């Protein structure tokens, strides 16, 4: 499997391309909390006529490592930084979303990608929003799937942390082998059904996620600081952005997406009916139609 060493940590990445004589723009896909790039594959596949698609697993999730590793003799791993830069970056690594935005910048640097399109989901969309404002010159257009802003509620957040900590702690390897476990696990994320293999893959990604990364990003994704920062980040967006919301999403309700989109004239809102937190899998036809309209891609070219 292809790995690239980003800031001292091995990241899994994957190119999806369709042979062509044309030089195509690149679309980068960013997954959400405790997931991986695997659930983006069907969306990327549908866009290959127009884009070369780059999928990667964020630090601590999917097939990417959670911590810096030592390269063994004979190993072939792409290095993204000099020894001095890497040592400094490793010392500063945390699970703050801003650090994940810097991970993305380092990844693009090493792959020599100067300007890209981005499609990011859930927590990954928060990372992408931060990236858009730090590196606006590097993004042509962005799609934020299931994102929004929220208000700080001390009691609700405390309960969320307690529940989240228990969920992350109790992830036995045998969980994925229990009949219907995938269906039960994904029930709160979905309104319309998705293929069984997609449910199983997401459950397995959740089970395999690095403990520190999974727990750390719970605290950095949903906290008082993010509640204060994200409205400011949405308000100062300069990159043309499509915010896609699932009508029945209970993880990031559509109303939170509406509030975020209202903060900037650069953000266009698309509500996908009869979907929840995975509209690109629950109703791929409608999702892709809205994405193509935003990107100004004709259906005939897809």
């Amino acid at each position: 499997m292809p790995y690239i060493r980003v800031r001292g940590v091995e990241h899994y990445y994957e190119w999806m391309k369709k042979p062509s004589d044309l030089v195509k723009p690149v679309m980068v896909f960013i997954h959400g909390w405790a997931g991986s790039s695997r659930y983006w594959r069907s969306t990327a596949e549908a866009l290959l006529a127009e884009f070369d698609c780059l999928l990667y697993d964020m630090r601590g999730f999917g097939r990417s490592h959670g911590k810096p590793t030592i390269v063994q003799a004979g190993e072939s791993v792409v290095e993204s930084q000099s020894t001095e830069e890497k040592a400094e970056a490793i010392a500063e690594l945390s699970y703050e979303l801003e650090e994940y935005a810097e991970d993305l910048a380092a990844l693009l640097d090493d792959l020599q990608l100067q300007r890209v399109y981005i499609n990011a989901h859930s927590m990954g969309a928060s990372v992408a929003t931060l990236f858009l404002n730090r590196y606006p010159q590097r993004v042509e257009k962005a799609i934020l799937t299931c994102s929004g802003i929220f208000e700080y509620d001390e009691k609700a957040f405390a309960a969320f942390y307690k529940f989240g900590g228990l969920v992350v702690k109790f992830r036995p390897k045998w969980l994925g082998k229990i009949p219907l476990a995938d269906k039960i696990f994904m029930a709160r994320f979905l309104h319309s059904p998705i293929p069984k293999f997609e449910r199983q893959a997401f459950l397995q990604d959740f089970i395999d996620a690095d403990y520190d990364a999974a727990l750390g990003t719970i605290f950095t994704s949903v906290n008082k600081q993010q509640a204060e920062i994200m409205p400011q980040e949405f308000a100062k967006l300069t990159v043309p952005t499509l915010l896609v919301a699932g009508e029945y999403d209970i993880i990031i309700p559509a109303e939170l997406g509406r509030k975020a989109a209202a903060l900037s004239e650069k953000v266009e809102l698309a509500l996908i009916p009869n979907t929840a937190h995975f509209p690109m899998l629950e109703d791929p036809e409608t999702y892709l139609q809205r994405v193509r309209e935003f990107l100004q891609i004709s259906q005939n070219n897809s």
Side-chain angles (χ1 to χ4, degrees), residues 113-162:
L113 299 173
Q114 299 303 316
R115 193 168 176 86
V116 300
Y117 290 74
I118 286 179
N119 192 347
H121 176 242
S122 195
M123 184 190 88
S126 295
V127 172
T129 303
L130 295 167
F131 182 86
L132 295 179
N133 284 327
R134 289 185 172 208
Y135 304 97
Q137 74 282 3
R138 305 195 68 168
V139 186
E140 188 73 31
K141 289 185 177 182
I143 303 156
L144 305 179
T145 301
C146 299
S147 185
I149 58 175
F150 53 87
E151 296 181 358
Y152 178 68
D153 184 321
E154 185 176 0
K155 290 184 178 180
F157 280 31
F160 173 77
Y161 297 149
K162 184 176 181 179

Side-chain angles (χ1 to χ4, degrees), residues 65-137:
H65 294 197
K67 300 173 181 64
T69 54
I70 299 174
V71 179
Q72 302 297 324
E75 284 187 347
S76 177
V77 179
V78 178
E79 292 284 355
S80 65
Q81 293 176 300
S82 69
T83 302
E84 293 79 8
E85 291 172 330
K86 184 172 64 177
E88 182 179 350
I90 290 172
E92 298 176 354
L93 281 181
S94 72
Y95 300 111
E96 297 292 340
L97 300 189
E98 291 83 354
E99 292 296 336
Y100 280 96
E102 292 304 319
D103 287 349
L104 173 58
L107 173 68
L108 298 184
D109 285 345
D110 188 71
L111 295 176
Q112 299 180 356
L113 299 173
Q114 299 303 316
R115 193 168 176 86
V116 300
Y117 290 74
I118 286 179
N119 192 347
H121 176 242
S122 195
M123 184 190 88
S126 295
V127 172
T129 303
L130 295 167
F131 182 86
L132 295 179
N133 284 327
R134 289 185 172 208
Y135 304 97
Q137 74 282 3

Side-chain angles (χ1 to χ4, degrees), residues 31 60 85 89 106 110 180 239 271 295:
H31 63 81
E85 291 172 330
D110 188 71
L180 301 180
V239 175
L271 181 68
L295 298 175

Side-chain angles (χ1 to χ4, degrees), residues 33-271:
W33 182 81
S36 80
S37 58
R38 286 190 285 197
Y39 67 71
W40 273 126
R41 287 186 59 85
S42 59
T43 305
E45 180 74 30
L47 295 170
L48 290 183
E50 293 292 333
F51 294 92
D52 289 336
C53 295
L54 174 64
L55 287 68
Y56 79 103
D57 294 345
M58 289 193 289
R59 173 162 43 94
F61 299 106
R63 291 145 289 187
S64 291
H65 294 197
K67 300 173 181 64
T69 54
I70 299 174
V71 179
Q72 302 297 324
E75 284 187 347
S76 177
V77 179
V78 178
E79 292 284 355
S80 65
Q81 293 176 300
S82 69
T83 302
E84 293 79 8
E85 291 172 330
K86 184 172 64 177
E88 182 179 350
I90 290 172
E92 298 176 354
L93 281 181
S94 72
Y95 300 111
E96 297 292 340
L97 300 189
E98 291 83 354
E99 292 296 336
Y100 280 96
E102 292 304 319
D103 287 349
L104 173 58
L107 173 68
L108 298 184
D109 285 345
D110 188 71
L111 295 176
Q112 299 180 356
L113 299 173
Q114 299 303 316
R115 193 168 176 86
V116 300
Y117 290 74
I118 286 179
N119 192 347
H121 176 242
S122 195
M123 184 190 88
S126 295
V127 172
T129 303
L130 295 167
F131 182 86
L132 295 179
N133 284 327
R134 289 185 172 208
Y135 304 97
Q137 74 282 3
R138 305 195 68 168
V139 186
E140 188 73 31
K141 289 185 177 182
I143 303 156
L144 305 179
T145 301
C146 299
S147 185
I149 58 175
F150 53 87
E151 296 181 358
Y152 178 68
D153 184 321
E154 185 176 0
K155 290 184 178 180
F157 280 31
F160 173 77
Y161 297 149
K162 184 176 181 179
F163 174 74
L166 292 173
V167 168
V168 172
K169 187 174 183 179
F170 183 73
R171 293 178 298 155
K173 296 297 182 183
W174 46 259
L175 184 61
K177 298 179 181 179
I178 298 178
L180 301 180
D182 58 297
K183 194 169 186 178
I184 295 171
F185 176 76
M186 291 298 292
R188 69 191 303 266
F189 296 99
L190 305 173
H191 180 76
S192 298
I194 65 174
K196 181 177 178 63
F197 77 90
E198 297 280 16
R199 299 196 309 265
Q200 291 175 326
F202 192 89
L203 176 57
Q204 194 59 51
D205 284 335
F206 167 72
I207 293 171
D208 293 340
D210 177 80
Y211 177 83
D212 291 335
L215 187 62
T217 50
I218 283 180
F219 288 97
T220 60
S221 297
V222 183
N223 59 30
K224 184 178 181 180
Q225 181 182 11
Q226 288 300 315
E228 295 171 348
I229 287 177
M230 291 312 294
Q232 301 173 28
E233 294 292 333
F234 273 100
K236 64 182 182 182
L237 283 172
T238 59
V239 175
T241 301
L242 176 68
L243 196 159
V244 181
E247 181 184 14
Y248 295 106
D249 191 350
I250 63 173
I251 308 301
I252 304 179
E255 181 57 29
L256 302 186
R258 289 193 185 94
K259 290 180 178 179
L263 294 173
S264 173
E265 61 181 15
K266 290 292 186 178
V267 181
E268 174 185 337
L269 179 69
L271 181 68

